[in-house]
Amino acid sequence: MTGLAAVPPMGWNSWDVFGTSVTEAETRANAEFVAEHMVGHGWEYVVVDIQWYDPAARAGGYNSGTKLALDEYGLPQPAPNRFPSAAGGAGFKPLADYVHSLGLKFGVHILRGVPRQAVAADTPIKGSEYSAAQIPDRERRSSWVDDNWGIDHSHPGGQAYYDSLVRQFADWGVDYVKADDMIAPYWEDEVEAFWHAVARADRDIVLSLSPGMNLSTDHAEHLKAHSHLWRVSADLWDRWRDVNAQFDLLREWAPHAGPGHWPDADMLPLGRIGIRAEVGEARESQLSPDEQRTMLTLWCIARSPLMVGADLPASSAETIELLTNPEVLAAQRHPVGAREVWREGKHVAWASEDGAFAAVFNRSPDAAEVQLPWHVLGAARPERIRDCWTRSDLVPGERLRAKLPAHGSALFRLSLRGGGVGHPLHELDDDAVGVGGLEVALAPLLGLDRRGDRDPFGLHARVLGVDVLDDERQQQAVGGSLRALGLEGGQARAQEDHVEPGVGAGEGHEAVGGHVLGEAVVALEELGGGGRVGDVKRDGGRGDSHGRSLAGPVSSYAVYCT
């Protein structure tokens, strides 16, 4: 599982809109919307939430004592009346395959424990000598749903059951598991057992833990060692009090965020929600436009995972625009952490540790103007300021000044003197890097070539190659630049394979002037995307880094991946 969740996951989850009763058709419709409108901005997971195995699931809550869809081994199966492609024992594989065909990843919710129905039937545990009746801990049951008993992990059958469950998920093609009722209260042995099952699966699976009521940071190291992300609060709904509570929680949890381990401020109740949800009626999000921006600003500067809970096809264009602002999302993908740096009454400021981003918040019901000296933000006076929400440039003064509406916020990207990671466009040239045209080759990562605004900051792209580097200094320079841009695991390495002009580069590769784009100089691992080289942009007229003339002539090229 090395490298999983190198950046905070982003995706869609069914809970806020369809509650326990989401259907296959609704899941497919939202997956198609994500693929068409959002994947280029980093949104990639499609997650079916709780009780997908309940044929009688209903709006507004949970059924008690319901008959679940289980197989002969006591493993939950998608209810075929809700997920028709699961009929005949196919499980979620057909749906997962469809989601994958869209270039997305598929996830499911699962409840801690073993189904009570399986225990009553004493079903065998697949791949073991044990049975379900040997493993329940009836004292450790969920306080809000009665589908399962807890598991007694002093019995080896407990681990065997979780192993069989996650093995089934892997066989279906599941990429993400939201394991619920795990950490409120904090069931340490359950967390460890489920993590071990995920680690043993023959598939990379991101593990999310829920819920997070009263979760202490004393558990931070254990969570970082046994999950990829974890909730830090109860369910969050479209109420200002829910958003406002996250300021204190994220102040405590943000220092624990990093590649492979992300505190999660919960789903985004934006757009059209509540169609069959646990809370409320069908509605547009009750958060005001300013409150919605504040929520996204806080989630992004704190680098929380982003899971939107709307019926996306029925949501407004304004909601989708809010969710796909590349300059705001760049803060969430930034490689350097951010912290709350100032609080005075109802006013709060956050800043990234390298000075690249700053956010100011007004938690008051009245409009306010915030003025902060630059040193409070840990930065010198910048050369330029970029307002990430309005996507406009501002002239910096002696202080950062922002007029904020009630419950409003502002997010800025700061251009530091002398460039650096705070620069909104990390400009590279031949002298700095020693590679002809590298600034063009990295265009999709830098926003230098928007190409119709498709993935303008490289939040989802996987770059497979640029130019040939044969010098250690050059490799280090390129790798450092990539990491500074927020590309975790960015590295540069020497290209060993060459082809003569006109010779094919193989499946998924393009030959350009005798060089292979594919397994080439720069490999960015675990960034998602399909890894298929798309368009090749030719530019310039100079030779390559060895001084050779390239066919075309070509001296630089941009790789767009789909």
Side-chain angles (χ1 to χ4, degrees):
M1 296 190 293
T2 302
L4 283 181
V7 291
M10 299 168 61
W12 174 84
N13 180 290
S14 61
W15 173 249
D16 285 355
V17 60
F18 300 120
T20 64
S21 62
V22 66
T23 66
E24 179 168 358
E26 290 161 339
T27 303
R28 285 178 177 248
N30 278 276
E32 290 161 2
F33 190 95
V34 173
E36 183 175 354
H37 300 285
M38 300 172 69
V39 68
H41 297 275
W43 301 90
E44 60 178 342
Y45 289 98
V46 173
V47 181
V48 174
D49 212 279
I50 194 168
Q51 286 195 323
W52 40 267
Y53 39 79
D54 181 1
R58 60 181 177 81
Y62 304 96
N63 292 321
S64 179
T66 188
K67 184 176 181 180
L68 308 178
L70 305 180
D71 71 1
E72 66 269 30
Y73 298 104
L75 297 174
Q77 304 297 303
N81 62 320
R82 295 166 53 196
F83 299 92
S85 69
F92 267 134
K93 190 174 191 318
L95 180 55
D97 286 348
Y98 180 70
V99 170
H100 294 155
S101 76
L102 299 174
L104 304 174
K105 298 178 181 179
F106 181 67
V108 297
H109 174 288
I110 197 65
L111 191 68
R112 173 183 64 87
V114 58
R116 297 186 186 192
Q117 184 175 319
V119 172
D122 196 19
T123 55
I125 295 173
K126 191 172 185 178
S128 80
E129 59 186 297
Y130 311 113
S131 65
Q134 295 176 289
I135 65 171
D137 184 336
R138 290 174 173 81
E139 299 300 317
R140 303 204 302 178
R141 57 186 181 271
S142 171
S143 63
W144 41 273
V145 60
D146 64 6
D147 293 346
N148 289 5
W149 296 117
I151 290 180
D152 176 6
H153 287 288
S154 68
H155 192 288
Q159 184 66 60
Y161 180 77
Y162 276 161
D163 288 348
S164 68
L165 177 64
V166 177
R167 204 161 44 238
Q168 172 179 260
F169 292 160
D171 291 343
W172 286 346
V174 170
D175 306 293
Y176 180 107
V177 173
K178 175 184 174 183
D180 208 351
D181 196 36
M182 282 283 191
I183 54 177
Y186 198 92
W187 303 112
E188 184 172 297
D189 58 348
E190 294 267 32
V191 169
E192 291 179 4
F194 207 95
W195 174 256
H196 292 323
V198 169
R200 293 170 182 169
D202 190 22
R203 183 177 183 84
D204 285 341
I205 296 176
V206 170
L207 177 59
S208 166
L209 301 179
S210 287
M213 294 89 79
N214 304 312
L215 184 63
S216 169
T217 54
D218 290 345
H219 297 297
E221 294 308 314
H222 191 259
L223 287 162
K224 288 157 74 171
H226 296 94
S227 66
H228 297 104
L229 59 152
W230 59 90
R231 283 263 301 279
V232 299
S233 72
D235 285 359
L236 181 139
W237 288 98
D238 50 335
R239 302 174 292 217
W240 170 248
R241 68 176 184 268
D242 290 12
V243 175
N244 194 36
Q246 296 294 330
F247 281 92
D248 291 345
L249 294 170
L250 288 172
R251 176 175 60 178
E252 298 300 317
W253 281 103
H256 300 285
H261 46 86
W262 305 102
D264 179 4
D266 201 16
M267 286 178 281
L268 303 168
L270 300 176
R272 185 70 173 168
I273 62 174
I275 293 175
R276 296 192 305 278
E278 183 188 27
V279 173
E281 303 297 328
R283 62 193 184 278
E284 296 298 317
S285 175
Q286 296 300 295
L287 294 171
S288 72
D290 290 321
E291 291 168 346
Q292 293 179 38
R293 283 192 178 192
T294 291
M295 179 170 60
L296 271 173
T297 300
L298 180 60
W299 270 233
C300 285
I301 193 74
R303 301 192 300 170
S304 170
L306 301 178
M307 290 285 168
V308 62
D311 184 20
L312 294 171
S315 296
S316 67
E318 290 78 11
T319 296
I320 307 309
E321 183 179 359
L322 192 78
L323 294 167
T324 56
N325 183 321
E327 301 190 32
V328 173
L329 296 175
Q332 196 244 13
R333 291 306 211 232
H334 195 57
V336 179
R339 305 287 184 271
E340 181 181 302
V341 294
W342 174 81
R343 182 182 291 210
E344 187 174 285
K346 297 292 186 179
H347 305 145
V348 175
W350 281 61
S352 54
E353 293 176 343
D354 61 357
F357 288 94
V360 288
F361 302 92
N362 175 23
R363 301 165 67 185
S364 165
D366 302 312
E369 181 176 11
V370 174
Q371 299 186 34
L372 288 176
W374 294 109
H375 70 81
V376 171
L377 303 170
R381 178 178 172 177
E383 287 186 344
R384 295 194 300 277
I385 305 176
R386 180 78 170 174
D387 186 318
C388 297
W389 279 113
T390 64
R391 297 166 77 169
S392 60
D393 293 322
L394 306 175
V395 177
E398 295 300 322
R399 293 169 173 257
L400 176 66
R401 298 174 183 265
K403 292 183 178 180
L404 304 175
H407 299 169
S409 63
L411 177 65
F412 304 104
R413 187 153 192 173
L414 311 180
S415 300
L416 308 180
R417 295 184 183 276
V421 295
H423 206 286
L425 297 180
H426 193 93
E427 298 167 355
L428 306 171
D429 56 39
D430 295 348
D431 293 335
V433 181
V435 180
L438 181 61
E439 70 280 6
V440 180
L442 296 180
L445 302 178
L446 313 183
L448 299 175
D449 184 344
R450 299 279 174 116
R451 199 177 147 225
D453 242 10
R454 181 183 180 279
D455 197 18
F457 287 90
L459 299 175
H460 191 68
R462 182 176 183 180
V463 175
L464 298 180
V466 287
D467 206 336
V468 175
L469 305 180
D470 61 356
D471 178 271
E472 183 178 355
R473 180 188 64 82
Q474 295 171 348
Q475 294 171 33
Q476 291 174 348
V478 175
S481 296
L482 293 170
R483 287 188 291 274
L485 286 163
L487 302 171
E488 301 292 345
Q491 58 178 318
R493 63 186 183 206
Q495 166 73 350
E496 298 177 355
D497 298 326
H498 300 272
V499 296
E500 295 299 322
V503 177
E507 183 179 355
H509 296 165
E510 286 278 344
V512 178
H515 296 346
V516 176
L517 300 183
E519 297 300 322
V521 184
V522 178
L524 305 181
E525 305 293 343
E526 305 295 342
L527 288 180
R532 179 172 63 82
V533 173
D535 301 332
V536 177
K537 177 180 177 180
R538 305 184 177 212
D539 193 11
R542 299 167 291 183
D544 68 3
S545 59
H546 295 279
R548 294 189 294 256
S549 177
L550 302 182
V554 179
S555 67
S556 56
Y557 38 81
V559 184
Y560 296 93
C561 300
T562 57

